[in-house]
């Protein structure tokens, strides 16, 4: 959404902050969040982080939780 261009830095910063605070994100590994491109009708953000998951954690559910948190930012 190009209408969010004025907020893109805050959005990127808030996504990174959320990942830094999330208990399932491996804080020993690099966490990257960058505005990378103007899409056809979007502002593209690249998110890279490692999850610390144990055998009892449902990976798809955790991924969904993180994506929904990102979408709400």
């Amino acid at each position: 959404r190009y209408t969010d261009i004025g907020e893109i830095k805050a959005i990127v910063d808030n996504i990174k902050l959320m990942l830094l605070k999330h208990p399932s994100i491996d804080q020993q590994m690099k966490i990257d969040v960058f505005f990378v491109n103007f899409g056809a009708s979007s502002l593209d953000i690249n998110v890279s982080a490692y999850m610390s998951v144990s055998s009892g954690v449902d990976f798809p559910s955790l991924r969904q939780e993180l994506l929904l948190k990102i979408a709400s930012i």
Side-chain angles (χ1 to χ4, degrees):
R1 303 179 318 226
Y2 286 157
T3 56
D4 291 333
I5 190 64
E7 301 174 45
I8 195 70
K9 180 162 179 8
I11 292 169
V12 166
D13 291 345
N14 287 327
I15 292 171
K16 187 161 188 176
L17 183 61
M18 181 274 294
L19 292 170
L20 287 168
K21 291 181 177 181
H22 198 284
S24 295
I25 297 299
D26 186 343
Q27 302 301 317
Q28 303 303 314
M29 301 299 289
K30 190 172 184 178
I31 297 171
D32 286 327
V33 183
F34 293 105
F35 169 50
V36 294
N37 196 33
F38 290 96
S41 61
S42 64
L43 300 172
D44 299 343
I45 297 172
N46 185 57
V47 178
S48 177
Y50 290 88
M51 294 182 205
S52 298
V53 292
S54 63
S55 59
V57 175
D58 180 20
F59 174 76
S61 294
L62 179 56
R63 179 179 53 198
Q64 175 179 282
E65 174 194 337
L66 291 168
L67 289 171
L68 290 172
K69 284 182 183 224
I70 290 170
S72 71
I73 293 175

